[in-house]
Amino acid sequence: RILIIGACGQIGTELTAKLRELYPAHKVIASDIVEGDEEMMKSGPFELLDATSYSEIEDIVIRHEISEVYLMAAMLSATGEKFPMKAWNLNMNSLFNVLNLAKEGKIEKIFWPSSIAVFGPTTPKENTPQRTIMEPSTVYGISKQTGERWCEYYYNKYGVDVRSVRYPGLISYKTMPGGGTTDYAVDIYHKALKHKKYICFLNAETTLPMMFMDDAINATINIMETPAKKIKTRSAYNLSAFSFNPEEITESIKKHIPDFTISYEPDFRQAIADSWPQSIDDSEAREDWGWEHQFSLEDMTKIMLENLKGKY
Ligand code: VAH
């Protein structure tokens, strides 16, 4: 059976739905610190869970005979800068809890998300390699870089089968993001439909690696279903689809909403975005486990606007 921790988050919500499509829903247990929406609660088992509690996770793992855990609970980059110690505590203790359950032989396989936030201002910004200088300057990035080191350590020392990818910014119409720096790329679609204008908290030239959520969900399930011997990297794989800046996503939206306008009021999140790469080399994921993105920026904009227009 599968346990998703953080099932009500931006990725967790869609991951839970997809896993309940692919596997018998009663074998996919969702959990979070708060209850989910109606769809989440009625489509399969749910457990309230504090991801920082080893005993609470252990209890769920035993009661539901869990063999695989997707640990999707975390505090993201922007909120992490407001509450550094809370972010560190949640992001790290939840990971140690799951790694130690595997080390004790209570679960067999783990997915844990890393992020392009592991890269910092001194990392090469274009086509960032899988292995390179990593001096992250955000609490979130430091927690993800440290988490990668611990995943690789637990694999090498205890044989824990943990798999990870460095997600870029993720964009979905089904879930709202929470506390990220790339969240503008979701909000802009909502505001374009609602007001035909958007005030962006990053400047026009801020190019970041991004991906449509369906690609991220497919990559997550793909890497978990890949035979262990093909997984050559046990820290985390670079993953990307495309990159854009606010100006480019605006042009993409204007093909559908010609009179959409954007203005710029950069805030504290500009410094976070400036510390991250502009494009990522994900060739190792493509070579080792056949990663392929399906959606372009144009595809994404069409899908986002079609699925959101009924709301406004
Ligand atoms: C954030 N969406 O903005 C996350 C992600 C690369 C960005 O880690 O913090």
Side-chain angles (χ1 to χ4, degrees), residues 10 76-78 115-117 140 167-170 179-183 209 276:
Q10 182 196 15
L76 298 187
S77 59
S115 162
I116 59 148
Y140 175 72
Y167 288 130
L170 300 181
T181 299
T182 58
D183 296 0
W276 291 346

Side-chain angles (χ1 to χ4, degrees), residues 226 230-233 237 283-291:
T226 296
K230 287 193 172 181
I231 305 292
K232 309 261 187 324
T233 293
Y237 279 92
S283 50
E284 287 201 21
R286 294 172 192 267
E287 281 153 28
D288 291 1
W289 45 276
W291 157 243

Side-chain angles (χ1 to χ4, degrees), residues 8-27:
C8 301
Q10 182 196 15
I11 306 170
T13 304
E14 299 210 41
L15 182 60
T16 302
K18 187 73 177 178
L19 287 168
R20 285 177 172 167
E21 268 176 46
L22 296 173
Y23 298 95
H26 69 279
K27 292 192 172 185

Side-chain angles (χ1 to χ4, degrees), residues 21 33 44 59 63-64 68 86 96 98 105 111 113 119 128-129 132 173 178 218 220 232 243 251 254:
E21 268 176 46
I33 196 83
D59 168 59
R63 272 192 297 115
H64 288 277
E68 297 184 15
K86 273 181 78 174
F96 282 124
V98 174
F111 176 80
F119 300 117
T128 301
T132 183
Y173 59 86
N218 290 338
T220 305
K232 309 261 187 324
S243 298
E251 288 315 306
K254 285 170 76 167

Side-chain angles (χ1 to χ4, degrees), residues 187-204:
D187 206 18
I188 192 168
Y189 289 108
H190 291 263
K191 296 294 191 309
L193 288 162
K194 192 172 181 182
H195 302 306
K196 289 195 185 332
K197 72 184 289 290
Y198 179 59
I199 301 171
C200 188
F201 58 72
L202 298 180
N203 66 39

